[in-house]
Amino acid sequence: MNVSEAPAFLNVDASLTGRRWLGPDIETERQAEAMAQQTGLAPALCRTLARLGVSAMDAPSYLEPSLRDLLPDPRSLLDMETAATRFLQAAQSGQRIAVFADYDVDGGTSGALLIHWLRELGYPVDERATLYVPDRIDEGYGPNAPAIAELAANHDLIVCVDCGTLSHDALAAAGDTDVVVLDHHLGGETLPNVHAVVNPNRQDESGDLAHLCAAAVVFLMLVETGRQMREAGNTGPNLLNLLDFVALATVADVAPLIGVNRAFVRQGLKVLAQRHHTGLVALADSAGMDGPPTSYHLGFLLGPRINAGGRIGKADLGARLLASVDPQEAHAMAAQLEILNRERREIENLTREVAMDQAQNRLEAHTPESNRPAALAWAADDGWHPGVVGIVASRMKEATNLPAIVIGFDGDAGKGSGRSVSGVDLGHAIQKLVAEGLLEKGGGHKMAAGLSLTRDQLEPAMERLEELLAKQGAGLGGPAALKLDAMLMPGAAQTDLVTKIESAGPYGAGAPGPRFAFASQKIFFAKRVGESHLKISFGDGMGPRIDAICFGAFDGPLGPALQDHNGALFHLAGRLEINRWQGRESVQLRLEDAAEA
């Protein structure tokens, strides 16, 4: 049932953020109850599994995802054998190898995977390998002809990771030097004329592995490389020790946590906890990461810091840190990224405020044709840093529940980034605009895309993009509903409950964690922390109080309303987690929404 049909004390049709709260439907409740009876698992855990579509029969294997059972055959991807054979030949014969990596987390981890594998093989990385990351501002996304030509002149093999599928002209500059592309971005009707293109999102692929990030594709190539080595009677590096990189990329690139991706993240978090890799250790220490690593740490602590170099600093800083084996060098780079990440937040905050106002004004002025609601939120202005427009687009998407585009102009040239909502393929729409001549350049995947355009192209491109997205159903959902798994009393929110729920993780894109509502709670303590966050303590007067943290609360109505509560009661909703501090554990609510009781 939805929460508005629940007892009157929790009748929430419009929260402080304007969302309707929805509880589990009757069928999910029935399945959860049956699962609890059949398996003996905790009811709260069964609610989560049922909502994720897991049956009672599949529950044991879901709770313990096995990489052995879920890992696809690398050879199911086109060009995989060819790519692995060429890479192995170059590595074993000591040929010069260049790794051309994108400047985000997925690109950096993909490059680091290859560098660490080569190093463990005994390949002279420092003398014969080059890790190249293009500058976001000067070179833009993906391979460019000057860089490829220079790398080709000094290397025998170029491996492009997390980029290259659409780079026909740039890769042609490699001349006679072999190029292997390991990517996951949407492919066009034709592929570059290179040695191999391995990409689960090629148009001639089945799409069964479309959910993989680039680092996962790289990992599968290394699996195939290992198989070829075994067939020749040799032993390759231990690939399981590299899964921390794959886990980080999977979460940071918001790849859906389904199938083998769950096993990658689950096993990768275990590897990360063992602190194998110098760069990740330095990054975790710099970020103040304590306790067992979780998906949250990957997506919100480590990922943004790696991205900071590519966004507003030296583009290759994150990739070089991940590939490093020198503790002193790694800690120096991690410290640089920490500073850059703080600067990135400041730039982002300034851009976000203006961009959100601009987008909201457009939405309010929207005059729907044929009663069609707005299907796109967008903003553009001079001087917006290309390194933060993607983050701002993500915030805009969350605030409007619409696909969002944010563009920064430098003179006549604009560079933008977009984020989409579930069920709307933004990457395909952007590619269509390029084909129609409405954009200079663009590409991506379903949930994220990048683009380049001129000022004259701006209005026609956004008008056409909105038309294409509307045809996919964008804008029909209204404000995003807040989906709840159950109502809880504060006394039921114990560490044992949270531990059981965490056993169904990792949670993230495609597998959201459970969300709970607490009805008619009294706010005992409320304090603004940091720039815009809120910390509170709440309870019902009959059990223990619970601490809660709401990030970005003062960017909207939640912070002011809860801080100045004047004794009013509130319904609170969010996700439970275990807060670890100085060796102690306590339950904390990551507050997402509230409504007056």
Side-chain angles (χ1 to χ4, degrees), residues 174-205:
D176 295 332
T177 300
D178 285 338
V179 176
V180 167
V181 172
L182 305 174
D183 196 8
H184 74 129
H185 293 93
L186 291 174
E189 294 183 3
T190 61
L191 295 171
N193 183 22
V194 295
H195 192 77
V197 177
V198 183
N199 185 337
N201 286 297
R202 281 173 46 161
Q203 288 199 12
D204 52 353
E205 279 285 4

PDB file of all heavy atoms in Angstrom, residues 174-205:
ATOM      1  N   ALA A 174      46.821   7.483 -35.790  1.00  0.00           N
ATOM      2  CA  ALA A 174      47.789   6.504 -35.296  1.00  0.00           C
ATOM      3  C   ALA A 174      48.584   5.875 -36.430  1.00  0.00           C
ATOM      4  O   ALA A 174      49.639   5.267 -36.193  1.00  0.00           O
ATOM      5  CB  ALA A 174      47.078   5.414 -34.491  1.00  0.00           C
ATOM      6  N   GLY A 175      48.092   6.001 -37.655  1.00  0.00           N
ATOM      7  CA  GLY A 175      48.813   5.439 -38.795  1.00  0.00           C
ATOM      8  C   GLY A 175      48.957   3.936 -38.699  1.00  0.00           C
ATOM      9  O   GLY A 175      47.969   3.211 -38.533  1.00  0.00           O
ATOM     10  N   ASP A 176      50.196   3.438 -38.763  1.00  0.00           N
ATOM     11  CA  ASP A 176      50.439   1.994 -38.745  1.00  0.00           C
ATOM     12  C   ASP A 176      50.512   1.413 -37.337  1.00  0.00           C
ATOM     13  O   ASP A 176      50.641   0.198 -37.172  1.00  0.00           O
ATOM     14  CB  ASP A 176      51.749   1.681 -39.485  1.00  0.00           C
ATOM     15  CG  ASP A 176      51.671   2.020 -40.973  1.00  0.00           C
ATOM     16  OD1 ASP A 176      50.552   1.977 -41.513  1.00  0.00           O
ATOM     17  OD2 ASP A 176      52.720   2.346 -41.563  1.00  0.00           O
ATOM     18  N   THR A 177      50.462   2.246 -36.324  1.00  0.00           N
ATOM     19  CA  THR A 177      50.504   1.751 -34.937  1.00  0.00           C
ATOM     20  C   THR A 177      49.165   1.142 -34.562  1.00  0.00           C
ATOM     21  O   THR A 177      48.116   1.739 -34.784  1.00  0.00           O
ATOM     22  CB  THR A 177      50.840   2.892 -33.962  1.00  0.00           C
ATOM     23  OG1 THR A 177      52.111   3.439 -34.311  1.00  0.00           O
ATOM     24  CG2 THR A 177      50.862   2.402 -32.524  1.00  0.00           C
ATOM     25  N   ASP A 178      49.188  -0.050 -33.989  1.00  0.00           N
ATOM     26  CA  ASP A 178      47.949  -0.729 -33.607  1.00  0.00           C
ATOM     27  C   ASP A 178      47.252   0.011 -32.472  1.00  0.00           C
ATOM     28  O   ASP A 178      47.897   0.494 -31.531  1.00  0.00           O
ATOM     29  CB  ASP A 178      48.236  -2.171 -33.163  1.00  0.00           C
ATOM     30  CG  ASP A 178      48.552  -3.091 -34.345  1.00  0.00           C
ATOM     31  OD1 ASP A 178      48.153  -2.745 -35.477  1.00  0.00           O
ATOM     32  OD2 ASP A 178      49.189  -4.133 -34.128  1.00  0.00           O
ATOM     33  N   VAL A 179      45.918   0.056 -32.551  1.00  0.00           N
ATOM     34  CA  VAL A 179      45.092   0.670 -31.515  1.00  0.00           C
ATOM     35  C   VAL A 179      44.032  -0.331 -31.072  1.00  0.00           C
ATOM     36  O   VAL A 179      43.361  -0.945 -31.911  1.00  0.00           O
ATOM     37  CB  VAL A 179      44.404   1.957 -32.016  1.00  0.00           C
ATOM     38  CG1 VAL A 179      43.471   2.521 -30.936  1.00  0.00           C
ATOM     39  CG2 VAL A 179      45.433   3.003 -32.421  1.00  0.00           C
ATOM     40  N   VAL A 180      43.893  -0.503 -29.776  1.00  0.00           N
ATOM     41  CA  VAL A 180      42.829  -1.322 -29.184  1.00  0.00           C
ATOM     42  C   VAL A 180      41.948  -0.403 -28.345  1.00  0.00           C
ATOM     43  O   VAL A 180      42.458   0.357 -27.517  1.00  0.00           O
ATOM     44  CB  VAL A 180      43.413  -2.452 -28.317  1.00  0.00           C
ATOM     45  CG1 VAL A 180      42.325  -3.097 -27.460  1.00  0.00           C
ATOM     46  CG2 VAL A 180      44.089  -3.504 -29.193  1.00  0.00           C
ATOM     47  N   VAL A 181      40.647  -0.460 -28.551  1.00  0.00           N
ATOM     48  CA  VAL A 181      39.686   0.354 -27.801  1.00  0.00           C
ATOM     49  C   VAL A 181      38.931  -0.539 -26.823  1.00  0.00           C
ATOM     50  O   VAL A 181      38.353  -1.561 -27.224  1.00  0.00           O
ATOM     51  CB  VAL A 181      38.691   1.055 -28.757  1.00  0.00           C
ATOM     52  CG1 VAL A 181      37.587   1.742 -27.962  1.00  0.00           C
ATOM     53  CG2 VAL A 181      39.419   2.061 -29.643  1.00  0.00           C
ATOM     54  N   LEU A 182      38.941  -0.167 -25.543  1.00  0.00           N
ATOM     55  CA  LEU A 182      38.182  -0.857 -24.490  1.00  0.00           C
ATOM     56  C   LEU A 182      37.248   0.186 -23.884  1.00  0.00           C
ATOM     57  O   LEU A 182      37.683   1.035 -23.119  1.00  0.00           O
ATOM     58  CB  LEU A 182      39.126  -1.432 -23.431  1.00  0.00           C
ATOM     59  CG  LEU A 182      40.229  -2.369 -23.938  1.00  0.00           C
ATOM     60  CD1 LEU A 182      41.172  -2.748 -22.811  1.00  0.00           C
ATOM     61  CD2 LEU A 182      39.643  -3.614 -24.588  1.00  0.00           C
ATOM     62  N   ASP A 183      35.978   0.119 -24.217  1.00  0.00           N
ATOM     63  CA  ASP A 183      35.068   1.222 -23.922  1.00  0.00           C
ATOM     64  C   ASP A 183      33.694   0.668 -23.551  1.00  0.00           C
ATOM     65  O   ASP A 183      33.442  -0.540 -23.650  1.00  0.00           O
ATOM     66  CB  ASP A 183      34.973   2.116 -25.171  1.00  0.00           C
ATOM     67  CG  ASP A 183      34.370   3.492 -24.895  1.00  0.00           C
ATOM     68  OD1 ASP A 183      34.152   3.834 -23.722  1.00  0.00           O
ATOM     69  OD2 ASP A 183      34.117   4.223 -25.881  1.00  0.00           O
ATOM     70  N   HIS A 184      32.798   1.569 -23.124  1.00  0.00           N
ATOM     71  CA  HIS A 184      31.421   1.171 -22.852  1.00  0.00           C
ATOM     72  C   HIS A 184      30.417   2.216 -23.309  1.00  0.00           C
ATOM     73  O   HIS A 184      29.213   2.038 -23.123  1.00  0.00           O
ATOM     74  CB  HIS A 184      31.227   0.892 -21.354  1.00  0.00           C
ATOM     75  CG  HIS A 184      31.188   2.125 -20.497  1.00  0.00           C
ATOM     76  ND1 HIS A 184      30.187   2.367 -19.584  1.00  0.00           N
ATOM     77  CD2 HIS A 184      32.025   3.187 -20.421  1.00  0.00           C
ATOM     78  CE1 HIS A 184      30.422   3.527 -18.979  1.00  0.00           C
ATOM     79  NE2 HIS A 184      31.530   4.043 -19.464  1.00  0.00           N
ATOM     80  N   HIS A 185      30.876   3.296 -23.906  1.00  0.00           N
ATOM     81  CA  HIS A 185      29.968   4.333 -24.383  1.00  0.00           C
ATOM     82  C   HIS A 185      29.251   3.887 -25.654  1.00  0.00           C
ATOM     83  O   HIS A 185      29.740   3.033 -26.386  1.00  0.00           O
ATOM     84  CB  HIS A 185      30.733   5.638 -24.621  1.00  0.00           C
ATOM     85  CG  HIS A 185      31.249   6.264 -23.369  1.00  0.00           C
ATOM     86  ND1 HIS A 185      32.513   6.023 -22.881  1.00  0.00           N
ATOM     87  CD2 HIS A 185      30.662   7.099 -22.491  1.00  0.00           C
ATOM     88  CE1 HIS A 185      32.677   6.689 -21.752  1.00  0.00           C
ATOM     89  NE2 HIS A 185      31.569   7.358 -21.490  1.00  0.00           N
ATOM     90  N   LEU A 186      28.102   4.476 -25.903  1.00  0.00           N
ATOM     91  CA  LEU A 186      27.296   4.068 -27.046  1.00  0.00           C
ATOM     92  C   LEU A 186      28.077   4.203 -28.340  1.00  0.00           C
ATOM     93  O   LEU A 186      28.715   5.228 -28.599  1.00  0.00           O
ATOM     94  CB  LEU A 186      26.027   4.929 -27.122  1.00  0.00           C
ATOM     95  CG  LEU A 186      24.985   4.710 -26.021  1.00  0.00           C
ATOM     96  CD1 LEU A 186      23.869   5.732 -26.146  1.00  0.00           C
ATOM     97  CD2 LEU A 186      24.417   3.294 -26.088  1.00  0.00           C
ATOM     98  N   GLY A 187      28.010   3.173 -29.174  1.00  0.00           N
ATOM     99  CA  GLY A 187      28.702   3.182 -30.452  1.00  0.00           C
ATOM    100  C   GLY A 187      27.827   3.725 -31.563  1.00  0.00           C
ATOM    101  O   GLY A 187      26.597   3.766 -31.447  1.00  0.00           O
ATOM    102  N   GLY A 188      28.463   4.152 -32.636  1.00  0.00           N
ATOM    103  CA  GLY A 188      27.739   4.633 -33.805  1.00  0.00           C
ATOM    104  C   GLY A 188      27.500   3.515 -34.803  1.00  0.00           C
ATOM    105  O   GLY A 188      27.745   2.338 -34.523  1.00  0.00           O
ATOM    106  N   GLU A 189      27.027   3.892 -35.985  1.00  0.00           N
ATOM    107  CA  GLU A 189      26.740   2.892 -37.008  1.00  0.00           C
ATOM    108  C   GLU A 189      28.013   2.247 -37.539  1.00  0.00           C
ATOM    109  O   GLU A 189      27.993   1.109 -38.000  1.00  0.00           O
ATOM    110  CB  GLU A 189      25.957   3.542 -38.146  1.00  0.00           C
ATOM    111  CG  GLU A 189      24.561   4.011 -37.736  1.00  0.00           C
ATOM    112  CD  GLU A 189      23.783   4.591 -38.890  1.00  0.00           C
ATOM    113  OE1 GLU A 189      24.316   4.582 -40.025  1.00  0.00           O
ATOM    114  OE2 GLU A 189      22.654   5.045 -38.669  1.00  0.00           O
ATOM    115  N   THR A 190      29.115   2.967 -37.481  1.00  0.00           N
ATOM    116  CA  THR A 190      30.401   2.415 -37.908  1.00  0.00           C
ATOM    117  C   THR A 190      31.403   2.534 -36.774  1.00  0.00           C
ATOM    118  O   THR A 190      31.244   3.352 -35.862  1.00  0.00           O
ATOM    119  CB  THR A 190      30.945   3.155 -39.148  1.00  0.00           C
ATOM    120  OG1 THR A 190      31.138   4.539 -38.818  1.00  0.00           O
ATOM    121  CG2 THR A 190      29.978   3.033 -40.314  1.00  0.00           C
ATOM    122  N   LEU A 191      32.449   1.733 -36.839  1.00  0.00           N
ATOM    123  CA  LEU A 191      33.493   1.732 -35.821  1.00  0.00           C
ATOM    124  C   LEU A 191      34.781   2.285 -36.399  1.00  0.00           C
ATOM    125  O   LEU A 191      34.999   2.235 -37.617  1.00  0.00           O
ATOM    126  CB  LEU A 191      33.729   0.302 -35.317  1.00  0.00           C
ATOM    127  CG  LEU A 191      32.566  -0.360 -34.579  1.00  0.00           C
ATOM    128  CD1 LEU A 191      32.867  -1.834 -34.329  1.00  0.00           C
ATOM    129  CD2 LEU A 191      32.275   0.348 -33.268  1.00  0.00           C
ATOM    130  N   PRO A 192      35.659   2.802 -35.564  1.00  0.00           N
ATOM    131  CA  PRO A 192      36.959   3.271 -36.059  1.00  0.00           C
ATOM    132  C   PRO A 192      37.735   2.120 -36.704  1.00  0.00           C
ATOM    133  O   PRO A 192      37.585   0.950 -36.313  1.00  0.00           O
ATOM    134  CB  PRO A 192      37.667   3.763 -34.789  1.00  0.00           C
ATOM    135  CG  PRO A 192      36.587   3.979 -33.788  1.00  0.00           C
ATOM    136  CD  PRO A 192      35.517   3.003 -34.112  1.00  0.00           C
ATOM    137  N   ASN A 193      38.564   2.454 -37.650  1.00  0.00           N
ATOM    138  CA  ASN A 193      39.367   1.451 -38.347  1.00  0.00           C
ATOM    139  C   ASN A 193      40.622   1.171 -37.526  1.00  0.00           C
ATOM    140  O   ASN A 193      41.699   1.693 -37.801  1.00  0.00           O
ATOM    141  CB  ASN A 193      39.725   1.945 -39.748  1.00  0.00           C
ATOM    142  CG  ASN A 193      40.489   0.901 -40.543  1.00  0.00           C
ATOM    143  OD1 ASN A 193      40.413  -0.297 -40.255  1.00  0.00           O
ATOM    144  ND2 ASN A 193      41.253   1.348 -41.535  1.00  0.00           N
ATOM    145  N   VAL A 194      40.448   0.353 -36.473  1.00  0.00           N
ATOM    146  CA  VAL A 194      41.557   0.038 -35.573  1.00  0.00           C
ATOM    147  C   VAL A 194      41.653  -1.477 -35.408  1.00  0.00           C
ATOM    148  O   VAL A 194      40.848  -2.238 -35.961  1.00  0.00           O
ATOM    149  CB  VAL A 194      41.358   0.713 -34.194  1.00  0.00           C
ATOM    150  CG1 VAL A 194      41.395   2.228 -34.328  1.00  0.00           C
ATOM    151  CG2 VAL A 194      40.051   0.264 -33.549  1.00  0.00           C
ATOM    152  N   HIS A 195      42.647  -1.918 -34.620  1.00  0.00           N
ATOM    153  CA  HIS A 195      42.892  -3.345 -34.471  1.00  0.00           C
ATOM    154  C   HIS A 195      41.721  -4.066 -33.807  1.00  0.00           C
ATOM    155  O   HIS A 195      41.347  -5.172 -34.212  1.00  0.00           O
ATOM    156  CB  HIS A 195      44.170  -3.560 -33.644  1.00  0.00           C
ATOM    157  CG  HIS A 195      44.672  -4.966 -33.658  1.00  0.00           C
ATOM    158  ND1 HIS A 195      45.360  -5.504 -34.729  1.00  0.00           N
ATOM    159  CD2 HIS A 195      44.572  -5.971 -32.735  1.00  0.00           C
ATOM    160  CE1 HIS A 195      45.666  -6.758 -34.465  1.00  0.00           C
ATOM    161  NE2 HIS A 195      45.198  -7.061 -33.264  1.00  0.00           N
ATOM    162  N   ALA A 196      41.130  -3.446 -32.771  1.00  0.00           N
ATOM    163  CA  ALA A 196      40.005  -4.076 -32.072  1.00  0.00           C
ATOM    164  C   ALA A 196      39.221  -3.019 -31.310  1.00  0.00           C
ATOM    165  O   ALA A 196      39.804  -2.067 -30.784  1.00  0.00           O
ATOM    166  CB  ALA A 196      40.500  -5.152 -31.099  1.00  0.00           C
ATOM    167  N   VAL A 197      37.906  -3.195 -31.260  1.00  0.00           N
ATOM    168  CA  VAL A 197      37.023  -2.352 -30.448  1.00  0.00           C
ATOM    169  C   VAL A 197      36.171  -3.283 -29.591  1.00  0.00           C
ATOM    170  O   VAL A 197      35.289  -3.980 -30.098  1.00  0.00           O
ATOM    171  CB  VAL A 197      36.111  -1.453 -31.306  1.00  0.00           C
ATOM    172  CG1 VAL A 197      35.166  -0.660 -30.403  1.00  0.00           C
ATOM    173  CG2 VAL A 197      36.926  -0.521 -32.179  1.00  0.00           C
ATOM    174  N   VAL A 198      36.458  -3.303 -28.299  1.00  0.00           N
ATOM    175  CA  VAL A 198      35.677  -4.120 -27.365  1.00  0.00           C
ATOM    176  C   VAL A 198      34.762  -3.182 -26.600  1.00  0.00           C
ATOM    177  O   VAL A 198      35.226  -2.315 -25.857  1.00  0.00           O
ATOM    178  CB  VAL A 198      36.583  -4.893 -26.393  1.00  0.00           C
ATOM    179  CG1 VAL A 198      35.746  -5.795 -25.489  1.00  0.00           C
ATOM    180  CG2 VAL A 198      37.615  -5.709 -27.152  1.00  0.00           C
ATOM    181  N   ASN A 199      33.472  -3.358 -26.787  1.00  0.00           N
ATOM    182  CA  ASN A 199      32.506  -2.429 -26.188  1.00  0.00           C
ATOM    183  C   ASN A 199      31.138  -3.112 -26.134  1.00  0.00           C
ATOM    184  O   ASN A 199      30.559  -3.405 -27.180  1.00  0.00           O
ATOM    185  CB  ASN A 199      32.425  -1.140 -27.019  1.00  0.00           C
ATOM    186  CG  ASN A 199      31.532  -0.092 -26.396  1.00  0.00           C
ATOM    187  OD1 ASN A 199      30.648  -0.390 -25.595  1.00  0.00           O
ATOM    188  ND2 ASN A 199      31.727   1.164 -26.763  1.00  0.00           N
ATOM    189  N   PRO A 200      30.615  -3.374 -24.939  1.00  0.00           N
ATOM    190  CA  PRO A 200      29.305  -4.022 -24.840  1.00  0.00           C
ATOM    191  C   PRO A 200      28.178  -3.170 -25.393  1.00  0.00           C
ATOM    192  O   PRO A 200      27.061  -3.675 -25.571  1.00  0.00           O
ATOM    193  CB  PRO A 200      29.132  -4.256 -23.332  1.00  0.00           C
ATOM    194  CG  PRO A 200      30.030  -3.242 -22.691  1.00  0.00           C
ATOM    195  CD  PRO A 200      31.188  -3.067 -23.617  1.00  0.00           C
ATOM    196  N   ASN A 201      28.450  -1.886 -25.685  1.00  0.00           N
ATOM    197  CA  ASN A 201      27.431  -1.001 -26.244  1.00  0.00           C
ATOM    198  C   ASN A 201      27.695  -0.666 -27.716  1.00  0.00           C
ATOM    199  O   ASN A 201      27.180   0.325 -28.230  1.00  0.00           O
ATOM    200  CB  ASN A 201      27.327   0.277 -25.408  1.00  0.00           C
ATOM    201  CG  ASN A 201      26.622   0.029 -24.089  1.00  0.00           C
ATOM    202  OD1 ASN A 201      25.451  -0.331 -24.053  1.00  0.00           O
ATOM    203  ND2 ASN A 201      27.336   0.191 -22.991  1.00  0.00           N
ATOM    204  N   ARG A 202      28.482  -1.517 -28.377  1.00  0.00           N
ATOM    205  CA  ARG A 202      28.539  -1.458 -29.834  1.00  0.00           C
ATOM    206  C   ARG A 202      27.154  -1.783 -30.381  1.00  0.00           C
ATOM    207  O   ARG A 202      26.412  -2.573 -29.788  1.00  0.00           O
ATOM    208  CB  ARG A 202      29.542  -2.485 -30.378  1.00  0.00           C
ATOM    209  CG  ARG A 202      30.972  -2.091 -30.289  1.00  0.00           C
ATOM    210  CD  ARG A 202      31.935  -3.197 -30.668  1.00  0.00           C
ATOM    211  NE  ARG A 202      31.609  -3.924 -31.899  1.00  0.00           N
ATOM    212  CZ  ARG A 202      32.485  -4.652 -32.591  1.00  0.00           C
ATOM    213  NH1 ARG A 202      33.756  -4.738 -32.170  1.00  0.00           N
ATOM    214  NH2 ARG A 202      32.131  -5.293 -33.673  1.00  0.00           N
ATOM    215  N   GLN A 203      26.820  -1.217 -31.519  1.00  0.00           N
ATOM    216  CA  GLN A 203      25.484  -1.468 -32.069  1.00  0.00           C
ATOM    217  C   GLN A 203      25.294  -2.916 -32.509  1.00  0.00           C
ATOM    218  O   GLN A 203      24.166  -3.400 -32.579  1.00  0.00           O
ATOM    219  CB  GLN A 203      25.210  -0.516 -33.234  1.00  0.00           C
ATOM    220  CG  GLN A 203      24.987   0.926 -32.782  1.00  0.00           C
ATOM    221  CD  GLN A 203      24.287   1.773 -33.814  1.00  0.00           C
ATOM    222  OE1 GLN A 203      23.764   1.274 -34.802  1.00  0.00           O
ATOM    223  NE2 GLN A 203      24.269   3.076 -33.587  1.00  0.00           N
ATOM    224  N   ASP A 204      26.393  -3.622 -32.793  1.00  0.00           N
ATOM    225  CA  ASP A 204      26.265  -5.025 -33.212  1.00  0.00           C
ATOM    226  C   ASP A 204      26.420  -5.993 -32.043  1.00  0.00           C
ATOM    227  O   ASP A 204      26.536  -7.203 -32.240  1.00  0.00           O
ATOM    228  CB  ASP A 204      27.264  -5.359 -34.318  1.00  0.00           C
ATOM    229  CG  ASP A 204      28.704  -4.969 -33.967  1.00  0.00           C
ATOM    230  OD1 ASP A 204      28.905  -4.315 -32.924  1.00  0.00           O
ATOM    231  OD2 ASP A 204      29.619  -5.312 -34.735  1.00  0.00           O
ATOM    232  N   GLU A 205      26.428  -5.472 -30.814  1.00  0.00           N
ATOM    233  CA  GLU A 205      26.448  -6.337 -29.630  1.00  0.00           C
ATOM    234  C   GLU A 205      25.022  -6.696 -29.215  1.00  0.00           C
ATOM    235  O   GLU A 205      24.052  -6.017 -29.572  1.00  0.00           O
ATOM    236  CB  GLU A 205      27.157  -5.646 -28.463  1.00  0.00           C
ATOM    237  CG  GLU A 205      28.685  -5.717 -28.530  1.00  0.00           C
ATOM    238  CD  GLU A 205      29.230  -7.095 -28.169  1.00  0.00           C
ATOM    239  OE1 GLU A 205      28.432  -8.025 -27.945  1.00  0.00           O
ATOM    240  OE2 GLU A 205      30.462  -7.241 -28.132  1.00  0.00           O
TER     241      GLU A 205
END
